[in-house]
Amino acid sequence: MILTVTLNTALDLTYRVPALTPHATHRVTQVIERPGGKGLNVARVLAALGHETVATGFAGGATGAMLRDLLAATPVRDELVATAGPTRRTVAVVDTTTGDTTQLNEPGPAITPAEWAGFRTRFTELLDGARAVALCGSLPPGIHVGAYAELIRLARAAAVPVLLDTSGEPLRRGIAARPDLVKPNADELAQLTGSREPHRATRDARRRGAHAVISSLGPEGLLAATPEGLWRAAPPAPVKGNPTGAGDSAVAGLLSGLVDEAPWPERLTRAVALSAATVLSPVAGEYDPSAYEELLPRVKVTEDSVSP
């Protein structure tokens, strides 16, 4: 099975409005509720691809209970750890005229030392039988910035490949713990390395400890620095829609390729096709299956001549 970790889960609310205008009252035409947070988005996509998937992290309060009810309706196995504080909400307002999305993210509940200790114990237990683990998203209040580095070391001790998808100081600390993959976007890479030149920043991030670095270049696709070489992967044409969750779907594609022992070009092809198919879906954590199948043979993957 594939294990995903979402320490800062969320109840995702998507509001669709005909047009989003500042300082105006809006009539919402559709409300969609989903279990959210980056790792849960990844888990739902992996499950839709047919992988046995287990989700852990934290959930609490009335919003946490609602999240778990929604998660129970999916193939993802719920191994979330209860907290006293309520799970946060995230609100995405989609302007259906332009396709633009405005995101509002609450900070999340404060996690106590006892709750963190309980999670570490459950995480260690779940590593037994895991083929890969994904550590995704922000840290809620109360958890130290080295938390992901701590979990990476536990996964490495259990010989379980680990993918890290976070930002800021948790990314800086985590990458030094030598994860198998990291997937930052261009802004996260620039914050980590001080460079906005994709090749330089991706190679620098890999030298900091990651086995492979897959940099998200937005509509231009992915740049991957791996032990086998440097690769670029891009969709056949720009896609318009809701980008929320597109990066999480890319993570799911990379994990799917990892556990299937696919070569790097195939892993990147899955990641780019899933990401683009998610942009075409109105809800984070979901993708358009027909678009995915149509995009798969059309993703452009090239090996770069620059040494990683």
Side-chain angles (χ1 to χ4, degrees), residues 1 3 123-131 158 160:
M1 60 88 169
L3 176 64
F123 176 75
T124 303
E125 293 168 347
L126 290 169
L127 287 173
D128 185 16
R131 299 179 63 195
V160 178

Side-chain angles (χ1 to χ4, degrees), residues 35-155:
K38 293 178 72 65
L40 290 184
N41 291 340
V42 171
R44 296 209 314 277
V45 174
L46 283 168
L49 290 170
H51 294 282
E52 180 187 358
T53 310
V54 175
T56 190
F58 293 109
T63 47
M66 187 176 298
L67 180 153
R68 299 183 85 158
D69 286 345
L70 293 168
L71 190 61
T74 75
V76 177
R77 193 174 104 210
D78 177 358
E79 289 290 348
L80 296 169
V81 174
T83 63
T87 295
R88 66 184 178 136
R89 294 162 296 185
T90 63
V91 180
V93 183
V94 180
D95 184 321
T96 57
T97 300
T98 65
D100 292 337
T101 301
T102 300
Q103 193 84 17
L104 303 172
N105 295 337
E106 296 179 359
I111 304 301
T112 68
E115 288 168 345
W116 173 243
F119 170 80
R120 285 181 74 260
T121 298
R122 190 70 190 115
F123 176 75
T124 303
E125 293 168 347
L126 290 169
L127 287 173
D128 185 16
R131 299 179 63 195
V133 59
L135 309 175
C136 303
S138 61
L139 298 178
I143 293 185
H144 63 95
V145 294
Y148 281 137
E150 187 176 346
L151 298 181
I152 290 166
R153 287 190 287 269
L154 290 172

